[in-house]
Amino acid sequence: MGRRSDHSRKELEALILVEGHRHMAEVGFARFSAREVAKRVGYVVGTLYNVFGSYDRLIAAINTQTFDLWTEWLEERLASDPPDRIAALVAGYFSFAQAHANLWMAIYDHRMVEDMPIPDEMAERRGMLTEVVVREVAAVLPQEAQPLAPRLARSLVATVHGHCTFALNGSFALLGETDPLAMATARVKESLAAAGARF
Amino acid sequence: MGRRSDHSRKELEALILVEGHRHMAEVGFARFSAREVAKRVGYVVGTLYNVFGSYDRLIAAINTQTFDLWTEWLEERLASDPPDRIAALVAGYFSFAQAHANLWMAIYDHRMVEDMPIPDEMAERRGMLTEVVVREVAAVLPQEAQPLAPRLARSLVATVHGHCTFALNGSFALLGETDPLAMATARVKESLAAAGARF
DNA sequence: GCATAAATTGAGCACTGTTCAATAAAAGAA
DNA sequence: TTCTTTTATTGAACAGTGCTCAATTTATGC
């Protein structure tokens, strides 16, 4: 039913985002339904299109929120001052993905169309995760290797991402690997050591 | 129209697979349609279900065929006796994914349901790709490190996979990385060197 | 209080995967 | 050969999907 006075545009946007995020966590990307989200917030699917413009932008907004949570998750673990910050970072990457498998996978299930790339504001928020890694990588690299930090950090994120993907989608299990986290951590440390890192 | 005499069961299965593979290459996982494949082979969608049992098994069959092609692709590049076989392997992984982006991504877009895992025959064919990598990794490792080869190889596949994913989905471009292949190759070599490899 | 602007709806379109009775075709038995 | 049984194939139906848009309802500015 029409409830225009119930929520301002911003409130409605937030409402849809919260419920959409919940729905994504419950059923995953493949079974996600804009109609179902609309039903849950008490509006009709056309309203979602009115607010978000397209299905893609709704999904993008949900996934960007997942990035926010993920960055926060990492920062929390680092804030507890773990003895091995690099290991904590890798473990944090894994544990978030495992704890929120549907949300995490949705990030990579969704592909933005070529002609309509992700909005700047969202791209920036997503980039914060990498920023955290760059900072921690820089912290263990020697002075002369500091300029390498950004590229190396991105590459190490990719390394961990690959291991995390195989852990969650069953590829590792199928091949008999039982400790993907240990493997990922080992690879990261080898590359950091090669760059002269000390920990 | 009914064309029962036109194709035997095996022929029909092959026909659907070929056309399904072509369709997947053209439109990708998200826009793949069993009905469209049926139309193209001149049968009706029910027949696909009769032959493959379910949508999931059809996709699994298509993706397994992609694995076959991919393994073949790598072996071809190694057969030309490149000076750096490890680099050739990483480059082959990347070039296949880039040359057949829709097919390659479909492998990871598709998630087998928990209660119905991938059939043994398909799992074995998919494993051949890793076998190639295990063989090449073993070839550069010293005698005493040979037992490490299988686990290390799987882990290096994951490393390359992560880089390849970020290269294709635009994550690297968004973060300013312009040479994902070089990054992946560097990471692989660092880990092999750490295990005592010589090349 | 009224005209204008904006948000919300509901119905419709063209699809999708999936199921299943009815039908057509092939194989086997007499 | 003819008749029966088994098997393959169809077509229609079901419950969904994303997406669009005229019509309606609601809020705002004059």
Side-chain angles (χ1 to χ4, degrees):
Chain A
M1 297 301 147
R3 311 189 314 183
R4 191 169 176 184
S5 54
D6 288 14
H7 309 101
S8 74
R9 179 89 173 198
K10 273 269 167 283
E11 282 173 342
L12 183 51
E13 189 176 326
L15 199 66
I16 294 169
L17 214 50
V18 164
E19 212 56 54
H21 206 254
R22 195 196 316 274
H23 182 50
M24 184 66 85
E26 281 171 8
V27 306
F29 182 81
R31 295 222 283 259
F32 183 89
S33 156
R35 279 188 138 92
E36 178 62 27
V37 174
K39 196 185 298 175
R40 293 200 192 181
V41 296
Y43 283 81
V44 100
V45 68
T47 303
L48 298 216
Y49 276 80
N50 210 18
V51 174
F52 283 92
S54 76
Y55 190 80
D56 272 317
R57 291 177 75 101
L58 170 58
I59 303 287
I62 290 171
N63 285 346
T64 301
Q65 218 183 330
T66 302
F67 262 98
D68 290 346
L69 255 62
W70 193 6
T71 305
E72 208 179 310
W73 179 282
L74 293 183
E75 291 284 31
E76 274 171 17
R77 268 136 196 88
L78 290 169
S80 72
D81 232 344
D84 186 338
R85 295 179 71 86
I86 296 297
L89 212 47
V90 178
Y93 197 105
F94 264 72
S95 64
F96 182 88
Q98 256 145 359
H100 308 98
N102 279 337
L103 290 173
W104 185 80
M105 285 172 150
I107 291 173
Y108 304 100
D109 286 334
H110 182 230
R111 269 182 273 290
M112 273 306 214
V113 283
E114 304 286 321
D115 31 292
M116 221 316 220
I118 201 162
D120 284 358
E121 179 253 344
M122 293 189 186
E124 208 208 332
R125 278 163 66 197
R126 291 174 181 220
M128 297 307 292
L129 189 109
T130 308
E131 296 276 299
V132 173
V133 180
V134 171
R135 184 190 74 209
E136 297 297 326
V137 165
V140 297
L141 287 182
Q143 200 63 43
E144 69 274 16
Q146 288 297 317
L148 299 176
R151 283 192 86 194
L152 182 54
R154 286 177 228 138
S155 178
L156 294 181
V157 170
T159 295
V160 175
H161 177 80
H163 284 76
C164 202
T165 300
F166 282 5
L168 262 72
N169 75 7
S171 294
F172 268 142
L174 217 59
L175 297 169
E177 178 57 59
T178 57
D179 197 350
L181 172 58
M183 286 286 123
T185 310
R187 299 295 86 74
V188 166
K189 296 215 167 182
E190 284 158 4
S191 291
L192 283 173
R198 291 214 156 301
F199 27 51
Chain B
M1 298 305 145
R3 310 189 315 182
R4 190 169 177 182
S5 53
D6 288 13
H7 309 101
S8 74
R9 179 89 173 199
K10 274 268 168 283
E11 283 173 341
L12 184 51
E13 188 175 326
L15 200 67
I16 294 168
L17 214 50
V18 165
E19 212 56 53
H21 206 252
R22 196 196 316 276
H23 182 50
M24 184 66 85
E26 281 170 8
V27 306
F29 182 81
R31 296 222 283 258
F32 183 88
S33 156
R35 278 187 139 92
E36 178 63 27
V37 174
K39 196 186 297 177
R40 293 200 193 181
V41 297
Y43 283 81
V44 99
V45 68
T47 302
L48 299 215
Y49 276 80
N50 210 17
V51 174
F52 284 92
S54 74
Y55 190 79
D56 273 316
R57 291 177 73 102
L58 171 58
I59 304 287
I62 289 171
N63 286 346
T64 301
Q65 217 183 328
T66 301
F67 262 98
D68 290 346
L69 255 63
W70 193 6
T71 305
E72 207 178 309
W73 180 282
L74 292 184
E75 291 284 31
E76 274 171 17
R77 268 136 197 87
L78 290 169
S80 72
D81 232 345
D84 186 337
R85 296 179 70 85
I86 296 297
L89 211 48
V90 179
Y93 197 104
F94 265 71
S95 64
F96 182 88
Q98 256 145 359
H100 308 97
N102 279 337
L103 290 173
W104 185 79
M105 286 172 148
I107 291 172
Y108 304 99
D109 287 333
H110 182 230
R111 270 184 272 292
M112 272 307 213
V113 284
E114 303 288 320
D115 31 291
M116 219 317 220
I118 201 162
D120 284 357
E121 179 253 343
M122 293 189 187
E124 208 209 331
R125 279 164 63 198
R126 290 172 182 222
M128 296 307 292
L129 188 110
T130 307
E131 296 275 300
V132 173
V133 181
V134 170
R135 185 190 72 208
E136 297 297 325
V137 165
V140 297
L141 287 183
Q143 200 63 45
E144 69 273 16
Q146 288 297 317
L148 300 175
R151 282 192 87 193
L152 182 54
R154 284 178 230 139
S155 178
L156 295 180
V157 170
T159 295
V160 176
H161 176 81
H163 285 76
C164 202
T165 300
F166 282 6
L168 263 73
N169 75 6
S171 294
F172 269 141
L174 217 60
L175 298 169
E177 177 56 59
T178 56
D179 198 349
L181 172 58
M183 285 287 123
T185 310
R187 299 295 86 74
V188 166
K189 295 215 167 182
E190 285 158 4
S191 290
L192 284 172
R198 291 214 157 301
F199 25 51

